[in-house]
Amino acid sequence: MLPRADGTRHDAGIPLTEGRGSSGVPPVFGTPAGLRAKDLLSIGDLSADEIQLILDTAEAMKEVGTRTIKKVPTLRGKTVVNLFFEASTRTRASFEIAEKRLSADTLNVTTAASSVAKGETLADTVRNLEAMAPDVIVLRHASAGAGHLAARLCRARVINAGDGMHEHPTQALLDALTIRQRKGKVKGLQVSIIGDLLHSRVLRSNVLLLRALGAEVCTCGPATLMLPDMARLGVRATTSIDEAVEDADVIMLLRIQLERMRGYFFPSLREYFQQFGMTAARLRRAKPDVIIMHPGPMNRGVEIASDVADGPYSVILEQVANGVAVRMAVLYLLAGARHE
Amino acid sequence: MPVVMAADQVARTVTRIAHEIVERSRTLDDLALVGIRTRGVPIARRLSAVLHDITGASVPTGVLDITLYRDDLMRHPVGPQPVLRKTEIEFSIDDRRILLVDDVLYTGRTIRAALDALIDFGRPRSIELVVLVDRGHRELPIKADYVGKNLPTSLRQSVRVRLEEVEGVDEVVLEDAPEG
């Protein structure tokens, strides 16, 4: 299909300013039943009410996955493009299953098999896909802000499925759903996030979300992998894993991201495991009802010992299951109403 | 705002419908009630309670949210999505006689969506429709099998069913609403 028959520009109606969302921009929808922003790029664009709406919707979506026929006709006729410039198993599979359960037509574009391999820029790829009039683009890219760029270039709604070291909003949402399911609430809980803080988009989205919902957050990792200004977000930081484990209701482990490390942050993976790896022995200091989370993929024997990953406190596979419901909720809330 | 049904009338109507259900059923063993959110749910629960009082049988009761099946979902140019809530049908509907329960029957579009939703759960032997109020103006070939009250209305009017469980009071009110 060639450019739109109605002659409108691809970016028609979308303000070209940054920071759409949380402040300054009046809400498009008057009631909490809708999301104000056109896209889901950052947890920072969502109000606490909007986060709760997504979680409540996801809670209802879970039922669809328990049926014999796991499909509802809601997004019939909608086209969703999954545009993945970075490797992904969980997130991509999860989005695709969510799209299919809602009856959307899906298209997967991955770097290796696309013109990106021939040197096409992100902007050109997005513009060309936009010309085929998709309703939603799910984008994963190695650069922070890739989603923001794409959102400015197209009328399709953009869902950030991970942009560099910036954010991974749907991961934080599924983590929150898992916590809420296990603990009945998020507010007031002690959440310790341990691992490679510096390179983690999961951390950034989770901190924003957990703070918005009123949880206390403690971050822990080697000094070389700390983020400098966490105190500004009301987040505690420590290099002592025992301190992080004690009193925690939720322990979230982050993957050591060797592929993003340019330089030496710690002497060896074995030393990291000795200092910061989550082991059954360390876990003895934790609350008896603590839950262990990991966004995956896990490095067993690096940030988490195998017996902890597969142990009774682990809710890691629940997180994966909740991922589908959260993505169904986001797709439903975004792809439903047109934004013009 | 004329009240067309007061609390005692709502109660009597539910009891009467329950009696009609018993009258028309050889057995209640294969029967199940499914209430459509929001107000079909308390009506279904009340019917189940009355059926239990009359016959001693406990008729399983489920909750159906039709949001994902609405035919107007993706048609609004802008605006919030209807809030999605949980569907809870914790029994097999295969080969059962299903009584679908709603508060007001109007265009029939909700029922169309509910039929699609139900059929995704299995293959019931039959589906019948119970409504507290039938206000007319059907847009689809759908009719109710059990009607609490036939209420002639104009398109400008709206019928508000308020229930103890939702609004804290039982009544049916006919309002003159400017928008259709």
Side-chain angles (χ1 to χ4, degrees):
Chain A
M1 199 189 290
L2 285 168
R4 288 168 194 286
D6 59 4
T8 50
R9 283 157 41 94
H10 292 312
D11 56 354
I14 301 157
L16 290 173
T17 50
E18 287 288 1
R20 155 174 77 239
S22 57
S23 65
V25 180
V28 177
F29 305 137
T31 77
L35 302 179
R36 290 167 305 168
K38 164 182 159 274
D39 311 289
L40 178 60
L41 304 176
S42 161
I43 293 292
D45 292 340
L46 299 173
S47 69
D49 281 347
E50 287 175 316
I51 293 168
Q52 296 287 8
L53 172 70
I54 295 173
L55 299 184
D56 291 344
T57 307
E59 200 75 60
M61 286 293 186
K62 271 187 349 201
E63 178 268 321
V64 177
T66 66
R67 300 182 188 177
T68 328
I69 300 171
K70 300 178 184 56
K71 204 178 188 73
V72 290
T74 317
L75 295 189
R76 229 163 28 134
K78 298 272 174 183
T79 308
V80 183
V81 177
N82 299 314
L83 181 54
F84 278 67
F85 290 90
E86 268 192 333
S88 166
T89 311
R90 251 161 309 277
T91 307
R92 218 191 69 188
S94 177
F95 265 109
E96 204 177 334
I97 289 173
E99 291 150 10
K100 294 199 152 117
R101 287 202 178 152
L102 290 171
S103 301
D105 296 316
T106 65
L107 174 72
N108 292 311
V109 180
T110 46
T111 330
S114 71
S115 292
V116 175
K118 299 177 187 166
E120 189 172 60
T121 65
L122 169 65
D124 279 334
T125 304
V126 167
R127 279 197 199 97
N128 279 278
L129 288 171
E130 168 74 0
M132 299 181 228
D135 298 284
V136 181
I137 295 176
V138 177
L139 178 67
R140 167 166 288 192
H141 196 275
S143 300
H148 291 77
L149 173 71
R152 244 176 285 157
L153 292 173
C154 59
R155 286 172 67 171
R157 289 162 176 273
V158 177
I159 299 175
N160 179 5
D163 58 336
M165 305 189 317
H166 178 228
E167 277 215 52
H168 191 353
T170 55
Q171 177 70 42
L173 288 162
L174 73 88
D175 289 341
L177 184 66
T178 310
I179 294 172
R180 208 175 73 162
Q181 204 169 286
R182 280 299 182 126
K183 302 285 180 187
K185 58 170 185 178
V186 176
K187 197 183 168 99
L189 292 179
Q190 283 286 342
V191 182
S192 288
I193 309 179
I194 304 167
D196 183 349
L197 308 168
L198 185 62
H199 300 99
S200 178
R201 54 194 175 208
V202 175
L203 170 84
R204 286 164 176 84
S205 286
N206 256 305
V207 164
L208 292 172
L209 190 152
L210 291 167
R211 294 300 294 152
L213 293 191
E216 297 300 322
V217 182
C218 170
T219 56
C220 171
T224 47
L225 290 173
M226 289 268 186
L227 281 174
D229 51 357
M230 291 311 265
R232 203 165 46 89
L233 294 165
V235 171
R236 215 149 50 85
T238 176
T239 52
S240 154
I241 185 150
D242 288 338
E243 196 188 317
V245 168
E246 234 160 25
D247 299 327
D249 298 296
V250 177
I251 294 174
M252 209 179 269
L253 300 164
L254 300 174
R255 185 172 63 93
I256 294 300
Q257 303 194 39
L258 292 170
E259 78 278 15
R260 288 190 212 282
M261 291 189 186
R262 298 189 185 87
Y264 297 96
F265 293 88
F266 47 80
S268 72
L269 290 176
R270 222 168 68 162
E271 184 163 333
Y272 179 87
F273 182 66
Q274 275 166 12
Q275 293 288 317
F276 294 99
M278 189 52 61
T279 59
R282 287 209 164 105
L283 214 46
R284 270 184 220 114
R285 305 174 72 100
K287 284 189 177 174
D289 63 343
V290 71
I291 57 170
I292 301 286
M293 306 175 74
H294 193 301
M298 283 187 277
N299 294 315
R300 288 170 183 263
V302 181
E303 66 266 0
I304 187 166
S306 260
D307 55 346
V308 174
D310 307 324
Y313 303 108
S314 167
V315 295
I316 294 171
L317 293 177
E318 242 168 82
Q319 290 174 267
V320 179
N322 284 335
V324 175
V326 156
R327 283 154 187 142
M328 285 172 79
V330 169
L331 285 161
Y332 166 71
L333 291 167
L334 282 183
R338 291 208 313 275
H339 188 99
E340 314 211 35
Chain B
M1 269 182 278
V3 175
V4 291
M5 284 172 96
D8 56 332
Q9 242 176 312
V10 173
R12 263 183 278 133
T13 303
V14 170
T15 308
R16 195 202 76 224
I17 294 174
H19 279 280
E20 282 181 27
I21 292 168
V22 176
E23 201 179 281
R24 290 198 224 164
S25 306
R26 240 178 298 117
T27 167
L28 298 190
D29 294 346
D30 58 351
L31 202 67
L33 291 154
V34 174
I36 300 175
R37 278 194 195 273
T38 303
R39 288 175 195 76
V41 177
I43 299 173
R45 295 225 166 94
R46 289 184 197 186
L47 279 171
S48 171
V50 179
L51 286 171
H52 182 80
D53 289 347
I54 306 172
T55 67
S58 29
V59 178
T61 306
V63 175
L64 188 65
D65 187 292
I66 57 128
T67 309
L68 297 171
Y69 294 83
R70 288 169 63 127
D71 61 1
D72 57 350
L73 256 190
M74 305 301 163
R75 294 182 180 276
H76 298 301
V78 286
Q81 289 284 71
V83 177
L84 175 69
R85 278 164 310 156
K86 221 180 194 151
T87 291
E88 296 161 65
I89 301 178
E90 271 138 28
F91 45 87
S92 164
I93 69 165
D94 285 339
D95 293 322
R96 266 188 204 274
R97 287 194 299 138
I98 303 292
L99 290 176
L100 194 58
V101 185
D102 204 2
D103 56 348
V104 180
L105 179 57
Y106 182 22
T107 60
R109 288 177 191 272
T110 300
I111 305 306
R112 198 282 310 160
L115 290 173
D116 275 1
L118 261 185
I119 279 157
D120 275 359
F121 282 86
R123 188 177 185 281
R125 194 148 65 75
S126 64
I127 302 176
E128 289 181 293
L129 178 60
V130 183
V131 295
L132 190 61
V133 177
D134 182 349
R135 63 163 295 186
H137 305 292
R138 218 74 78 237
E139 293 169 5
L140 296 170
I142 279 167
K143 77 170 194 32
D145 299 281
Y146 301 89
V147 179
K149 186 180 180 63
N150 280 298
L151 186 64
T153 58
S154 82
L155 283 169
R156 284 181 303 103
Q157 292 172 310
S158 69
V159 178
R160 296 257 169 271
V161 171
R162 301 200 176 93
L163 295 173
E164 191 80 48
E165 296 89 331
V166 187
E167 287 90 1
V169 60
D170 276 356
E171 62 179 11
V172 179
V173 176
L174 192 58
E175 288 174 351
D176 281 305
E179 74 277 294

